[in-house]
Amino acid sequence: MDVPRYDLRAGVPDLSAFPRLAWLATARKVLAAAPDHLLGYPDPRGLPALRAALAGYLARTRGVTADPGHIVICAGFAHGLAAVCRALRTVGAGTLAVEAYGHQAHRDVAVGQGLRLCPVPVDGMGAVIGEASRADAALLTPAHQFPLGVTLHPRRRREAAAWGGVVIEDDYDGEFRYDRQPVGALQALAPDRVVYAGTASKSLAPSLRLGWLVVPPRLLDAVTAELVAGPSGIDQLTLAEFITSGDYDRQIRRARLAYRRRRDRLAMMLNGQELRGQGLRISGIAAGLHAVLDCPRPSRERDIIARATAGGLALDGLEPYRAPDELRGTDGERAGLVIGYSRPPEHAYTTALARLRAVLTQ
Amino acid sequence: MDVPRYDLRAGVPDLSAFPRLAWLATARKVLAAAPDHLLGYPDPRGLPALRAALAGYLARTRGVTADPGHIVICAGFAHGLAAVCRALRTVGAGTLAVEAYGHQAHRDVAVGQGLRLCPVPVDGMGAVIGEASRADAALLTPAHQFPLGVTLHPRRRREAAAWGGVVIEDDYDGEFRYDRQPVGALQALAPDRVVYAGTASKSLAPSLRLGWLVVPPRLLDAVTAELVAGPSGIDQLTLAEFITSGDYDRQIRRARLAYRRRRDRLAMMLNGQELRGQGLRISGIAAGLHAVLDCPRPSRERDIIARATAGGLALDGLEPYRAPDELRGTDGERAGLVIGYSRPPEHAYTTALARLRAVLTQ
């Protein structure tokens, strides 16, 4: 496996913070008590204990309107997205609106299930949902646009809630908000048309492959049928107990504090005298695990990435996140760096920041 | 959850025999040693450690020709089957031959991925692959036909190996053979055209959602792309260590001994004086976790199932496994019971057998 020495790419949490001992202790507790039948083929919607625990958790922390009967468990976001896209096809949808900047892997999943993509611009108020009138459904990141980092403006939220199609709300880092009260899930405004999607990939570890969808009743059977296979029943029981016992909240509070400190250090460094003169502007730091550093031009983005790579620092620009040319939409090209501050273990963060600074001031 | 008091349906192992403590101890060992990066997004083909452990295990116990690079990890058989069916569609396949008796759920998965079904008869030598000339691919259970219990005859094995299309070999209970040397996997005869599929669902527990495919090189990329999400990386590491340490072999030896004793008791009871006069004939007991008790006519099958259900004994007939009328093939209707002897915990097996006897002699 090719692991770079320093890594400031977005999308992966600090894996050294995964609570290995607490997770194992919970698995032991759960396995000691579980009746045998829970070791059989799991309910394809997910185990009732986990769906009940998530219903409570999501209502409390994200304002999600969630009956346990409308929650289905999946093996991470891509798995859930694929099932939703196929379900949308079976009910006649043909076109999915996507934000003009986002994960290529997610666009690939949607295309792989037979949907056409229709990109919508993202401006300072978030995705311009009004531009998606040709689409049957839309994939959005309302809490913290990925990768641009903007939070969907209240007016746009209302537009998205009133929009005619199905919205897939990717709440990939909804737990991590630093500057004010959490922005609740868009799903609460239109639970009959929004599919809410969350995972344990940022809060615990991607390796667990644990995710969940809150699905409008009319899509529930179709989505469940398309999931085919979900995560281990034992892992589902373990997560249910982890949530119910309060361990999950404690882990997220710890992580939020640690990431907020990292964000503050990053912002302080980037706002320093030395860099301000260069036209590099930081944004998207109110939430999440990454920031965007706008560059004055694409060539500067490419130069910085090349220098970073040469120096053993993994770093992404905006370019790989941009929807392909023919799909781009109307917002033109932006140049910048997507700086993920969650990935290095705590002891390596100081050096990673120093490397970044060196690359930027070189 | 609706759990019947006594359960002689096929398809689920004795869940009370799952080695909870050994599994947890292995998970603890693995998590204590795993570097952080193994908690990240798993390799979509599955973790290298598990693919290496399985390559050795499958070559040794099933004669499978398996380079770790050709193994992909999936979340159980249905998940793997769905991915293979979609991959077959992308390379132009349209029709899948299925055995005239088999799991409806598997037929549904294939149809759900856009394949047409073409049933082939199953006679005393197993599936009549020669009848599948219209099909592009075939789904077979060579070691122990499910549910009829016959082992594919050596001549038919050679025919299947020489057949033009892709064969999906569902080796669902290949570890459990009682009467002679194990019948090796069909895959060894034609590794460039047979997709071998196995799981830990019978050897450990279905709840784990751990399965594997050995895929011919030309289908490998397509199958991997269609898997989207596999099982937890931690569970993959745990199974790898469970195999490497010898715990997996020990568990299977223990289970094989216990199931063989159950099979012997079932056969003794069914071959007794009292039942022989009724035209009930047992077959399919050389291997696996179930037997077939042929009935003279369909009405007798239905009567027995109804009486069993009324008495709190869950039991299946052949009827739910039969491909739908329009798909049936040429072998006509058989009537019978599919008696799974693996499901009750050890302490309940005697009573379950007594119930069955009472139902049959009523």
Side-chain angles (χ1 to χ4, degrees), chain A residues 16 20 31 34 36 39 207 233 235, chain B residues 20 31 34 36 39 207 233 235:
Chain A
S16 74
R20 300 186 185 207
L31 259 183
D36 288 333
L39 298 174
S207 167
D235 290 350
Chain B
R20 300 187 186 207
L31 259 183
D36 288 333
L39 298 174
S207 165
D235 289 352

Side-chain angles (χ1 to χ4, degrees), chain B residues 103-154:
Chain B
H103 281 292
Q104 182 62 40
H106 296 172
R107 293 189 292 258
D108 289 345
V109 165
V111 170
Q113 316 315 318
L115 290 170
R116 287 184 306 278
L117 300 184
C118 151
V120 297
V122 181
D123 62 19
M125 292 162 66
V128 190
I129 188 74
E131 302 270 331
S133 54
R134 290 190 301 118
D136 303 303
L139 172 60
L140 302 178
T141 49
H144 190 228
Q145 205 280 332
F146 191 86
L148 299 179
V150 63
T151 299
L152 196 63
H153 188 276

Side-chain angles (χ1 to χ4, degrees), chain A residues 162-222:
Chain A
W163 188 63
V166 171
V167 175
I168 306 166
E169 177 176 25
D170 177 5
D171 197 37
Y172 70 102
D173 66 2
E175 291 92 346
F176 300 107
R177 181 140 211 112
Y178 311 117
D179 283 2
R180 43 186 172 110
Q181 283 304 306
V183 177
L186 176 66
Q187 187 266 3
L189 301 184
D192 56 331
R193 288 189 309 94
V194 175
V195 178
Y196 174 91
T199 73
S201 295
K202 307 294 185 290
S203 54
L204 290 171
S207 167
L208 292 175
R209 308 278 71 212
L210 283 166
W212 44 86
L213 303 170
V214 186
V215 184
R218 70 195 161 94
L219 285 174
L220 195 56
D221 287 346

Side-chain angles (χ1 to χ4, degrees), chain A residues 1 3 11-18 20 23-24 27-42 75-76 78-79 82 86 109 112-113 199 201-202 205-209 226-235 345, chain B residues 1 3 11-18 20 23-24 27-42 75-76 78-79 82 86 109 112-113 199 201-202 205-209 226-235 345:
Chain A
M1 192 142 188
V3 183
V12 174
D14 176 3
L15 300 171
S16 74
F18 176 67
R20 300 186 185 207
W23 183 259
L24 271 173
R28 191 181 318 127
K29 183 175 165 189
V30 151
L31 259 183
D36 288 333
H37 74 82
L38 289 179
L39 298 174
Y41 287 93
H79 182 228
R86 282 201 294 276
V109 164
Q113 316 315 317
T199 73
S201 295
K202 307 294 185 290
S207 167
L208 292 175
R209 308 278 71 212
E226 296 294 350
L227 283 170
V228 181
S232 150
I234 298 171
D235 290 350
Chain B
M1 190 138 189
V3 184
V12 175
D14 176 4
L15 299 172
S16 74
F18 176 69
R20 300 187 186 207
W23 183 259
L24 272 173
R28 191 180 318 125
K29 184 176 164 189
V30 150
L31 259 183
D36 288 333
H37 74 81
L38 289 179
L39 298 174
Y41 287 93
H79 181 227
R86 281 202 294 275
V109 165
Q113 316 315 318
T199 73
S201 296
K202 308 293 186 290
S207 165
L208 293 176
R209 305 282 70 213
E226 296 294 350
L227 283 169
V228 181
S232 149
I234 298 170
D235 289 352

